[in-house]
Amino acid sequence: MAVVANQHRSHTVIDDSTTPVTVFTGFLGAGKTTAILNILKRVNPEYNIVLLKNEFGDAETDSALVRESHVQVTEMTNGCLCCVLVGQMKRALEEMKEKFHPDRIIIETSGSAFPAPIAWQIREMESSGFHLDAILTVIDCVNFCGYEDTSYTARLQAQYTDLILLNKWENISERQLDLVVDHVNDLNTDTPKVKINADTGVDPEVIFGLDTNLFSLAERESTASEVSRSHHSQEIDLIEVVRKWSGDPAQLISSADFIDLLKHLPSEDVYRVKGLVRLSDAVADEADTPAATPPAADASASGLLYIVNHAFGRYTFTPLTVNAHQHEGVLARLTVMGNGLRMYLPQVQKAIDASDDEISCHWAH
């Protein structure tokens, strides 16, 4: 597959010292990370793109997946770029520019982020050599019609964007896809919709160099009312599990029990399960690919450390190889997101054999 050779400069960016910034939004589990990784594969390797990721909770799962592809990534966790961490984003962008000298920065927001405050922050940094190029929204065609009704943020993400990227459309019928597009059009008729190919993603030529007019500083006052600092607590239940590993093989989490948990979590309530988990045996993805085993001196004694990524009923396991030594003391570090999670807490706790003090919960209200 040919890579894109040009430099994707934004039309209004005439100074080579200015770094264009592309912002990806989309609800939990929409497939933002996979879409970004597929785009990076199509870009000239000499075109230096770095990634700033904002993850819900502290389980840096998607960042670990990106590092497995040897992409430079900076993560911001335990908060949202559009509210709690918006001030820290400025420092992160400045540090990335100084350290990596990128041709472009991609920001991947958390699943419940409203892009306006992020856009305003970037616009305020124009004098420092940053240019807001585009805001893109990834739509999960399989599940959008379900969570659109319950998530105010998901609706805002579909309304305020330069381009809507339709993901997972191959997994539904043409009739179902028409219904999804109808729902999206009810929120945003004029914005172009582009299908993401499951294997090759979307052409960078389509998404780079858009020179967005969204969220000018002049309209900040009129739009700011859309942003609520408590939007996460209003919409999403959160269960976080942190278990340390002493090196005792008896502590290892049963692979069979953990997979059984994932298979029985209903997609209408449990949107995401992501994090690191040290399992007793090698496992395969839901698609029944051969179980991949990362290098280990004694797998039976040390277990197998995986990045687990579960979204709306589908899951993958990726052996952790990059910087694995930094996680030698991790038995489980997981974040579960959804609605009505109180009833599933006992199942999660049992499968991971976690004590009460190893679990923290934040309930929507």
Side-chain angles (χ1 to χ4, degrees), residues 53-331:
K53 285 187 57 61
N54 179 208
E55 300 219 33
F56 215 130
D58 68 351
E60 301 171 16
T61 309
D62 297 330
S63 297
L65 284 171
V66 173
R67 288 194 184 93
E68 291 292 326
S69 299
H70 304 286
V71 175
Q72 297 289 356
V73 57
T74 296
E75 65 271 336
M76 299 180 70
T77 60
N78 281 320
C80 176
L81 283 179
C82 79
C83 46
V84 178
L85 299 178
V86 67
Q88 297 179 31
M89 184 185 73
K90 178 181 179 180
R91 292 191 294 274
L93 289 173
E94 291 172 340
E95 290 173 2
M96 292 170 74
K97 186 178 179 72
E98 181 178 354
K99 182 177 180 181
F100 300 119
H101 307 289
D103 294 307
R104 177 177 297 272
I105 293 174
I106 291 178
I107 296 177
E108 181 184 342
T109 69
S110 72
S112 285
F114 179 42
I118 301 168
W120 293 325
Q121 178 73 84
I122 298 167
R123 292 204 183 280
E124 287 179 344
M125 298 175 68
E126 286 185 0
S127 62
S128 301
F130 296 90
H131 171 77
L132 179 63
D133 183 36
I135 297 170
L136 312 175
T137 298
V138 180
I139 296 290
D140 174 359
C141 291
V142 175
N143 299 290
F144 181 76
C145 293
Y147 62 66
E148 174 218 356
D149 292 333
T150 59
S151 174
Y152 176 62
T153 305
R155 294 194 294 274
L156 288 178
Q157 291 169 344
Q159 288 175 296
Y160 295 94
T161 180
D162 295 292
L163 190 65
I164 291 173
L165 302 176
L166 301 172
N167 199 23
K168 309 179 189 177
W169 57 272
E170 301 100 325
N171 298 328
I172 59 177
S173 67
E174 289 188 19
R175 173 58 180 158
Q176 289 171 317
L177 179 59
D178 288 341
L179 291 173
V180 171
V181 173
D182 286 344
H183 276 255
V184 174
N185 282 335
D186 286 341
L187 298 168
N188 188 337
T189 302
D190 298 329
T191 297
K193 287 85 179 172
V194 176
K195 292 179 179 178
I196 298 179
N197 184 284
D199 298 319
T200 60
V202 63
D203 189 341
E205 294 281 6
V206 174
I207 65 172
F208 292 160
L210 297 184
D211 291 321
T212 181
N213 291 317
L214 290 172
F215 303 120
S216 68
L217 293 176
E219 61 187 24
R220 181 192 305 209
E221 192 170 323
S222 61
T223 312
S225 61
E226 300 276 11
V227 184
S228 168
R229 289 184 176 271
S230 61
H231 63 107
H232 294 292
S233 61
Q234 293 170 355
E235 292 187 349
I236 301 297
D237 285 342
L238 193 67
I239 299 174
E240 295 186 274
V241 181
V242 178
R243 292 199 63 199
K244 296 181 179 180
W245 189 49
S246 66
D248 182 359
Q251 271 189 296
L252 295 174
I253 295 169
S254 165
S255 300
D257 289 348
F258 189 72
I259 291 176
D260 188 64
L261 169 70
L262 298 182
K263 287 182 175 180
H264 288 89
L265 292 175
S267 60
E268 62 269 21
D269 294 330
V270 183
Y271 303 154
R272 293 292 304 275
V273 180
K274 63 180 186 177
L276 300 177
V277 60
R278 192 177 298 274
L279 299 178
S280 57
D281 302 291
V283 294
D285 291 342
E286 183 186 31
D288 293 326
T289 54
T293 304
D298 185 356
S300 62
S302 61
L304 301 168
L305 190 59
Y306 286 99
I307 306 164
V308 59
N309 195 1
H310 173 282
F312 292 99
R314 300 177 64 86
Y315 60 84
T316 60
F317 289 96
T318 304
L320 182 66
T321 59
V322 177
N323 297 330
H325 64 281
Q326 297 179 6
H327 305 283
E328 290 177 351
V330 173
L331 184 63

